[in-house]
Amino acid sequence: MQRKNFGRNQVLQPSAAYTPADEQEVLQILDRHRGQRIRAVGRLHSWSEAVLGDGVLLDLRRLNDVRLRPDGDQLVATVGAGCQIKRLLKELDRDGATLHSLGLITAQTIAGAISTGTHGSGRNSMSHYVVGVRLARYDASSGQATIEELSAGEPLQAARCSLGSLGIILAVKIRCRAQYHVQEHFTESRRLSDVLDAEASFPLQQFYLVPWRWSYFIQHRREHDQPRSRLARLYRLYWLGVMDYGLILQILFLERVVRSRRLIRLAFRRIIPAFLIRNWRVTDRSSSMLVMRHDAFRHIEIEVFVRRDKLVDALRFAQEAIKVAGGRESTLSADNQQRIEGLGMQEALAELHDQYCHHFPICVRRVLPDDTLISMASGAGEDWYALSFISYARPARRAGFSLFASFMARSMSRLFHARPHWGKVCPLEVNELTSLYPKFDAFRTVCNTLDPQGVFQNDWTAALLEADGSAGDIP
Ligand SMILES: Cc1cc2nc3c(=O)[nH]c(=O)nc-3n(C[C@H](O)[C@H](O)[C@H](O)COP(=O)(O)OP(=O)(O)OC[C@H]3O[C@@H](n4cnc5c(N)ncnc54)[C@H](O)[C@@H]3O)c2cc1C
């Protein structure tokens, strides 16, 4: 039996697969397969090797209960591991509550989303809000499957973003908040400094660097106490029709059917911007405003996280690399070219030349520092910025994107200490990855304590746990 992920770039070939009905059945499966490798998956919306498993595979979609309780002055939901975010939001909304943080889509499971540090913009990642994880694993002395609650210290910090490496997550306790409204409007700017200045007024904003036009579209967002706008439904329809479907269909047509770089560049310079309605201010429920149907069409993505003080240089570098990859330039600017030569990557840059025409706006989201060991926004007193690079090339025609993703990850990790998203394309060597996380050793210790036999690892996570990369300072 074979399963493929959303991006069709990972294939799972488990030796056995189960969809257990409850926690007891999970324990029985673990006891039956003692000594074998066991992994759990969510909805396979990750592109990285984190989803792989060639041993026993568990899909916990039937563990999807949601219970919301006040805990002191906070609201805490206990959520079955396989509950999709969309179901969780619906259940919370019944009680007038919602999540603190959301990604762009809601198809992921709660366990899957936290396991790779899923994030939105203007808040911490979802992992940060986790206050407890109920975990099935093996008891070290009896060897029997057992359940443990991780609710404090480094075990909790590790469980908040664990790449599936601690054991089978049965349920997640996550802090929630009262439902709230978000007001949004779009503007366009040529100056990054203006975009960043706007954060003070619009803390939830995210923005897009539009390739080939090289301006910024800013999705200004803030919490707002006004009621839902009269035209909120129309605005949702506009987003669905024009952005989620219209824009992507246009890109698919240009990238997959016409395959003309000239037309792709023209579309981004002139046509696509014409569909964006500027300054239409709309207020809507947060759980409607913060998400989109970004999963309507298959694509692949790499996303890298840089600290605030590296953002300006990182975006300039990305823009120049895209021009070289698209064949519009043959070298970077003098200072970036020098940096690449300093890394000995001039051949990699020459190989990238004219191999890939980037064809999607680069989404930039601010993520506040997480209290975790290894989520991408972990550590550092500064905010992190996630830069995403998406390709809609057909799965069989992704060679150019792979070259581009590999170049970006390798160069940006060395130049800007950029951390690739654990759930997205992650083309670094394991020691390069672990060296980006000062607390990776602490994560390794928790994994080795909870899973001393390494049965909850796949080849990739096992290699990460064995890697010897040590964290360096940001150059
Ligand atoms: C269209 C699209 C849009 C996206 N948008 C965003 C976004 O806005 N922001 C963002 O940060 N990410 C985004 N992602 C990435 C996505 O949120 C993550 O990759 C997430 O991990 C996927 O969740 P999943 O439920 O599909 O889990 P999977 O991809 O199936 O698994 C992810 C990891 O979780 C582990 N896992 C799952 N369930 C369990 C369990 N019960 N016990 C132990 N381990 C478990 C798996 O072993 C694996 O390591 C997007 C992905 C897609 C395809």
Side-chain angles (χ1 to χ4, degrees), residues 6 39-47 50-51 60 81 103-105 108-109 111-113 115-119 163-164 167-169 294-295 299 365 421 423-424:
F6 168 88
R39 298 275 293 174
V41 288
R43 292 300 171 117
L44 295 175
H45 273 53
S46 298
W47 288 274
V51 282
L60 300 196
L104 283 181
I105 59 159
Q108 313 95 322
T109 61
S115 294
T116 63
T118 296
H119 66 95
L163 313 177
I168 307 300
I169 298 173
H294 192 43
D295 48 351
H299 59 270
R365 291 180 279 179
H421 191 304
K424 303 188 180 178

Side-chain angles (χ1 to χ4, degrees), residues 447-466:
C447 290
N448 291 339
T449 309
L450 297 178
D451 177 28
Q453 309 298 326
V455 293
F456 295 114
Q457 310 309 321
N458 62 23
D459 289 347
W460 188 58
T461 63
L464 281 167
L465 294 180
E466 278 162 22

Side-chain angles (χ1 to χ4, degrees), residues 110-180:
I110 186 71
I114 65 160
S115 294
T116 63
T118 296
H119 66 95
S121 193
R123 299 258 160 77
N124 309 88
S125 78
M126 294 175 75
S127 302
H128 176 83
Y129 300 97
V130 173
V131 293
V133 167
R134 201 167 152 79
L135 190 76
R137 64 180 191 93
Y138 294 99
D139 179 75
S141 49
S142 69
Q144 300 277 342
T146 181
I147 294 177
E148 182 172 2
E149 300 264 357
L150 306 177
S151 55
E154 287 188 341
L156 172 63
Q157 287 179 307
R160 283 177 172 153
C161 172
S162 68
L163 313 177
S165 292
L166 302 186
I168 307 300
I169 298 173
L170 300 169
V172 174
K173 272 190 182 174
I174 187 162
R175 272 193 283 142
C176 299
R177 54 164 294 173
Q179 178 62 270
Y180 63 103

Side-chain angles (χ1 to χ4, degrees), residues 189-247:
S189 173
R190 297 242 157 226
R191 287 158 45 116
L192 183 55
S193 55
D194 291 345
V195 178
L196 296 175
D197 285 349
E199 267 173 10
S201 311
F202 302 99
L204 301 181
Q205 78 176 22
Q206 57 194 25
F207 61 94
Y208 301 85
L209 173 59
V210 183
W212 314 117
R213 182 176 174 89
W214 307 120
S215 70
Y216 298 96
F217 285 169
I218 314 140
Q219 202 165 8
H220 296 291
R221 285 173 169 168
R222 61 179 164 199
E223 278 194 56
H224 215 247
D225 48 17
Q226 270 180 12
R228 195 168 183 242
S229 303
R230 235 171 0 100
L231 295 182
R233 190 163 296 195
L234 184 65
Y235 188 66
R236 294 263 70 79
L237 279 175
Y238 157 75
W239 255 98
L240 187 71
V242 176
M243 294 296 171
D244 294 345
Y245 283 85
L247 167 68

Side-chain angles (χ1 to χ4, degrees), residues 204-347:
L204 301 181
Q205 78 176 22
Q206 57 194 25
F207 61 94
Y208 301 85
L209 173 59
V210 183
W212 314 117
R213 182 176 174 89
W214 307 120
S215 70
Y216 298 96
F217 285 169
I218 314 140
Q219 202 165 8
H220 296 291
R221 285 173 169 168
R222 61 179 164 199
E223 278 194 56
H224 215 247
D225 48 17
Q226 270 180 12
R228 195 168 183 242
S229 303
R230 235 171 0 100
L231 295 182
R233 190 163 296 195
L234 184 65
Y235 188 66
R236 294 263 70 79
L237 279 175
Y238 157 75
W239 255 98
L240 187 71
V242 176
M243 294 296 171
D244 294 345
Y245 283 85
L247 167 68
I248 308 295
L249 284 171
Q250 218 179 119
I251 290 172
L252 286 176
F253 179 69
L254 293 172
E255 168 62 26
R256 295 188 179 182
V257 183
V258 184
R259 305 195 54 226
S260 157
R261 291 185 178 185
R262 208 168 54 82
L263 285 181
I264 289 176
R265 289 195 298 268
L266 179 72
F268 279 103
R269 269 201 307 269
R270 300 252 174 267
I271 304 167
I272 290 169
F275 288 92
L276 190 80
I277 305 180
R278 280 105 167 139
N279 290 312
W280 182 6
R281 282 174 198 261
V282 179
T283 303
D284 203 350
R285 206 176 303 130
S286 62
S287 45
S288 305
M289 197 59 113
L290 299 178
V291 300
M292 58 192 288
R293 285 305 317 276
H294 192 43
D295 48 351
F297 298 95
R298 198 170 309 295
H299 59 270
I300 192 159
E301 175 174 350
I302 180 170
E303 184 170 47
V304 295
F305 283 61
V306 296
R307 290 185 191 176
R308 167 77 185 228
D309 66 340
K310 301 284 175 195
L311 177 65
V312 175
D313 285 348
L315 271 172
R316 187 165 67 86
F317 179 83
Q319 180 172 336
E320 291 178 14
I322 287 171
K323 286 182 186 168
V324 171
R328 302 301 284 169
E329 304 282 352
S330 51
T331 56
L332 308 174
S333 60
D335 56 335
N336 277 333
Q337 192 66 31
Q338 211 171 14
R339 287 166 145 170
I340 284 298
E341 285 166 16
L343 297 177
M345 287 187 66
Q346 57 274 45
E347 261 179 45

Side-chain angles (χ1 to χ4, degrees), residues 391-406:
S391 167
Y392 280 87
R394 283 182 204 287
R397 305 190 73 98
R398 286 178 179 158
F401 173 78
S402 298
L403 210 57
F404 172 73
S406 167

